[in-house]
Amino acid sequence: MSPANAKLSLGSVHNEHAAIAPTKYGFGTLAIHAGAEPDAATGAVIPPLSLSTTFKQKAVGDFVYEYSRSDNPNRANLEAAIAALENGKHGFAFSSGSATTATVLNTLSPGSHVISVNDVYGGTHRYLNKVAGSIGIETTFVDLANVDNLRDYVRDNTRLVWVETPTNPTLRLVDIAALVEIAHAAGLFVVVDNTFLSPYFQSPLDLGADIVVHSATKYINGHSDVVMGVAATKNDALASKIRFLQNAIGAVPSPFDCYQAQRGIKTLHLRMRQHAINAQRVAEFLEQSPFVESVIYPGLPSHPQHELARRQMRGFGGMVSFRIKGNTHTADRFLQRTRLFTLAESLGGVESLAELPARMTHAGLAPEERNELGITENLIRLSVGVEEAEDLIADLEQALESAVAENDTDFNGNAVVSVN
Ligand SMILES: *Cc1c(COP(=O)(O)O)cnc(C)c1O
């Protein structure tokens, strides 16, 4: 089979030619098969890792792949999988979630105005606030818990709305379909960062969003060993702009990272199911614990947007935030005493992690901004992994009890918290 035929029959190289139609199979089948046809040349069931940076041309301009930054077999396979899982037409991979954000924002012309949800990921906030100005983009950060707020901020030059749902770390939701209706009526594109739920639990493109982006570093790769970002869209014009910029800016992932991420994707459905089962159990345990002040999880009826979560999401995800009874010292002790939950930034891997947003992931925000968003000094964020739920709960229980028990003897003998 000639390379040109191989490209078409693989069906995986560009999703436009995908042998596996996105609507024909269920999620788990697509996760395993989209962009994963056996190698046409050797029959290898797993497409090989192709590290070559350049490709032999049969005659000038007659090639399947030209140069690895522009396109390469492993990235093309991964991009086909992403497009299928997000029910998009075009998928893209980048060297990080942040590179994805930067590339997507570069599709705007100088003089454009962006509206972003106010509790957007810190790195996205930093890019919009400190970098995008140099390409002539101005941003307004808006609370979009009520999407009607959007109308008050649209200007003549507003082009795009950037949202995340659920947000980090306070797990607020944005009603994507309602937002899209208002945004599209005003002629704006909508970008949704779907990192926290993965395509298994939420499909922004089906709700009308124009572009979906991810830090694939999190659930999509799922094993805390690749930094990567991905995007998908159904819109051909947007896709050709993004494809041009992917090559022109060149913030692309290595073939090895694409290979790893695609391997991760094959178990995305299995992992997400277990993340959500474990997170629900952890959230319910925390909610009845005498050592916990409050719990934030979209799967709890106590979440202020629980109804929206049920409507918009197919599951509630693996992220749980809670306020420990006490202060930052109590939280510190807790985070040093867990044995299964590792004190670390990031999320979405098979292993459980815990962190203190006020002094770690969100330390860059001004104290007033943190207060406004509810990122208090006793707020702990958990990335609940896929270990056995009973073991995770027992770990949390022992660390909570021991951390909170010391509250009374802290701070020069001043009683700070009473547990009853
Ligand atoms: C981690 C993260 C990003 C940034 O991704 P990197 O891969 O770290 O560059 C963007 N959005 C969200 C919601 C994230 O959690």
Side-chain angles (χ1 to χ4, degrees), residues 359-396:
R359 283 163 48 207
M360 293 172 65
T361 49
H362 293 67
L365 295 184
E368 315 82 65
E369 288 178 294
R370 281 201 296 270
N371 275 342
E372 210 166 290
L373 296 173
I375 306 173
T376 52
E377 58 171 25
N378 62 339
L379 181 77
I380 292 167
R381 186 188 79 179
L382 302 177
S383 173
V384 180
V386 299
E387 301 94 334
E388 302 297 343
E390 307 80 77
D391 295 335
L392 296 179
I393 288 169
D395 186 34
L396 294 171

Side-chain angles (χ1 to χ4, degrees), residues 95-99 101 121 124 164 168 193 195-196 214-218 227-229 346-347 381:
S95 53
S96 65
S98 305
T101 301
Y121 175 73
T124 307
E164 237 173 88
N168 174 22
D193 182 333
T195 299
F196 265 43
H214 287 270
S215 169
T217 313
K218 317 295 169 52
V227 172
M228 187 190 282
S346 200
L347 59 112
R381 186 188 79 179

Side-chain angles (χ1 to χ4, degrees), residues 54-75:
T54 189
F55 299 84
K56 181 181 172 179
Q57 305 195 6
K58 280 199 285 186
V60 176
D62 182 3
F63 56 81
V64 180
Y65 294 100
E66 183 180 26
Y67 180 63
S68 193
R69 166 164 39 76
S70 316
D71 202 1
N72 64 69
N74 294 107
R75 196 180 85 203

Side-chain angles (χ1 to χ4, degrees), residues 96-106 123-124 127-128 162 193 213:
S96 65
S98 305
T100 311
T101 301
T103 306
V104 167
L105 288 168
N106 269 268
T124 307
Y127 188 87
L128 288 167
W162 189 286
D193 182 333
V213 299

Side-chain angles (χ1 to χ4, degrees), residues 12 40 50 62 69 101 108 137 146 158 163 168 230 240 248 275 284 315 324 332 348 362 373 383 406:
S12 51
S50 168
D62 182 3
R69 166 164 39 76
T101 301
L108 299 172
I137 294 169
N146 176 358
T158 308
V163 297
N168 174 22
V230 297
S240 67
H275 279 298
E284 285 169 5
I324 195 167
D332 238 333
H362 293 67
L373 296 173
S383 173
E406 278 175 47

